[in-house]
Amino acid sequence: QTNKQTNKQTNNTMTIIQKAADIAQRGSVLGLMSLLGFQIYQITKNANEGLRDQQNNDNQQIMKQINEKVKEEEARKGSIDTIADRYDRDDDSYLKNVPKLNVKSSK
């Protein structure tokens, strides 16, 4: 009987150790998966903010160019030399004053 009791105690000890190991394994896997999920969230968030900032920066540059051209036009508003004497269908000099809106950001 002592042999049976010893085996029973050993089995109880092994099941306790196995349960503890199982809990530790599940806890570590859960922790690592949570860490992975948080890292993916951070990377996605930072990427979206970077894209949004770059787009806002491009829009700000375009608006700045347009505002500069508007101020230029307003400064020359009453100038006589800017008024054309006649209409010329082939005259495309106005295209030189159009701001180039396809400028890429320097980032």
Side-chain angles (χ1 to χ4, degrees):
Q1 284 191 355
T2 57
N3 206 9
K4 285 184 178 181
Q5 287 177 345
T6 309
N7 284 341
K8 194 173 188 181
Q9 287 176 348
T10 305
N11 285 341
N12 286 342
T13 306
M14 289 300 287
T15 57
I16 292 172
I17 292 173
Q18 286 174 344
K19 286 182 182 180
D22 188 38
I23 290 171
Q25 181 185 15
R26 288 181 186 195
S28 62
V29 168
L30 179 66
L32 290 173
M33 293 303 285
S34 299
L35 182 64
L36 175 68
F38 183 67
Q39 291 295 322
I40 290 172
Y41 164 74
Q42 282 184 326
I43 291 169
T44 306
K45 180 182 167 194
N46 289 339
N48 285 338
E49 285 180 3
L51 290 174
R52 193 174 327 124
D53 289 345
Q54 182 180 4
Q55 185 180 12
N56 288 341
N57 191 21
D58 289 343
N59 291 344
Q60 288 172 355
Q61 287 178 350
I62 289 171
M63 291 306 294
K64 185 177 178 182
Q65 289 177 346
I66 290 173
N67 284 335
E68 288 173 359
K69 287 295 180 181
V70 167
K71 287 179 184 176
E72 246 179 61
E73 296 277 332
E74 286 178 351
R76 296 183 303 160
K77 195 174 195 177
S79 178
I80 296 174
D81 62 339
T82 59
I83 302 171
D85 290 338
R86 65 187 185 288
Y87 173 74
D88 185 8
R89 184 174 285 195
D90 298 327
D91 183 24
D92 60 351
S93 62
Y94 66 94
L95 293 175
K96 295 176 187 174
N97 294 330
V98 176
K100 294 180 179 151
L101 302 179
N102 57 358
V103 176
K104 294 292 181 189
S105 175
S106 61
K107 283 187 176 181

